[in-house]
Amino acid sequence: MNQDFVVTALRSALVASGASPDSSIELSNYSAPMIPVGVEPRPIVSQLDYDSRSGRFAAMLSVAAGSTQPTLLRVAGQVREMVEVPVPVARLAAGTVVGPDDVHMTRIPVAGLREDTIRSLEQTIGLQVTRQGSPGQPFTRADLSKPKIGRAHV
């Protein structure tokens, strides 16, 4: 059984318990149960223990498949709240003026987000890189400034 079936069932239960609908769910101990070929599994969360402060959870699922007896599946993992932020698509040298093709939005865990992280494309486009930007690494306010005339690289 594909792990996605389990994550979908868990997401509904976790959201009902207070997790953000846009969170990332990571399973730490998933072992697929035996399901007959050609039968779509129907996992149902029968028990859930969720600590919203740490994001950790443990759950018991009942997995029905066709006319076979449901299988019990115990899983554990962590919920990570995610946020979209702009990041460089390639290395940006200091002095480069950021254009629309230089950045894209990506999801990162809120826990790893600095307070001064830039959160929208509008806060990056047209600004000048003050220190080298690495691909996939979020910008902070200190990484960008208004362009200085005569020094911008395009």
Side-chain angles (χ1 to χ4, degrees), residues 10-141:
L10 283 168
R11 182 173 308 283
S12 297
L14 287 162
V15 167
S17 295
S20 169
D22 196 36
S23 295
S24 168
I25 298 172
E26 299 169 8
L27 300 178
S28 58
N29 66 336
Y30 181 72
S31 179
M34 298 297 283
I35 303 293
V37 175
V39 177
E40 186 168 310
R42 295 180 313 280
I44 298 168
V45 177
S46 56
Q47 180 183 351
L48 175 67
D49 296 315
Y50 172 56
D51 180 353
S52 60
R53 288 189 330 168
S54 69
R56 296 193 186 284
F57 67 88
M60 181 69 74
L61 288 87
S62 174
V63 182
S67 60
T68 62
Q69 189 73 2
T71 302
L72 292 179
L73 176 65
R74 188 180 309 267
V75 295
Q78 186 163 15
V79 176
R80 295 186 194 278
E81 188 175 346
M82 305 294 280
V83 65
E84 279 201 340
V85 297
V87 297
V89 296
R91 187 175 71 82
L92 295 177
T96 302
V97 174
V98 180
D101 294 335
D102 295 325
V103 292
H104 71 274
M105 298 297 285
T106 194
R107 289 170 37 103
I108 63 168
V110 170
L113 197 64
R114 290 178 38 172
E115 189 175 310
D116 62 343
T117 299
I118 293 179
R119 299 201 180 205
S120 72
L121 285 173
E122 294 77 25
Q123 293 176 302
T124 63
I125 308 297
L127 294 181
Q128 190 171 33
V129 177
T130 56
R131 51 185 157 196
Q132 179 176 305
S134 298
Q137 293 299 310
F139 291 109
T140 64
R141 289 187 197 106

